[in-house]
Amino acid sequence: MNGATPPSWLCGGNPNISTSPTWEIGYNELANRNSVAMPNTGTLVTKIRPTSAALQMAWETLTHAATGNAGDP
């Protein structure tokens, strides 16, 4: 999704990956909370922000992106 060619062993080189919501939630948990280095995923979530509204994920970027601290003194 970042433009790199997928390896041939991964779904025959043609993975069907969606840009639907939930990328931000997983990235927040692993990278921000658990300090796991995820530079490619960080690039991806920045590129697809804000995500579209779908069910409870409508505010995914706002609630999980750590892009600000609205409301904090």
Side-chain angles (χ1 to χ4, degrees):
M1 292 179 70
N2 282 336
T5 302
S8 61
W9 56 263
L10 181 63
C11 299
N14 190 23
N16 183 11
I17 302 173
S18 171
T19 58
S20 64
T22 66
W23 290 99
E24 196 85 66
I25 296 169
Y27 180 76
N28 181 57
E29 178 65 22
L30 295 170
N32 297 332
R33 293 182 178 181
N34 294 313
S35 301
V36 175
M38 301 179 72
N40 291 327
T41 306
T43 300
L44 173 65
V45 296
T46 301
K47 184 169 74 173
I48 64 173
R49 277 182 189 151
T51 54
S52 62
L55 304 174
Q56 76 274 16
M57 304 305 175
W59 303 102
E60 176 187 43
T61 299
L62 179 63
T63 60
H64 292 83
T67 57
N69 57 356
D72 281 349

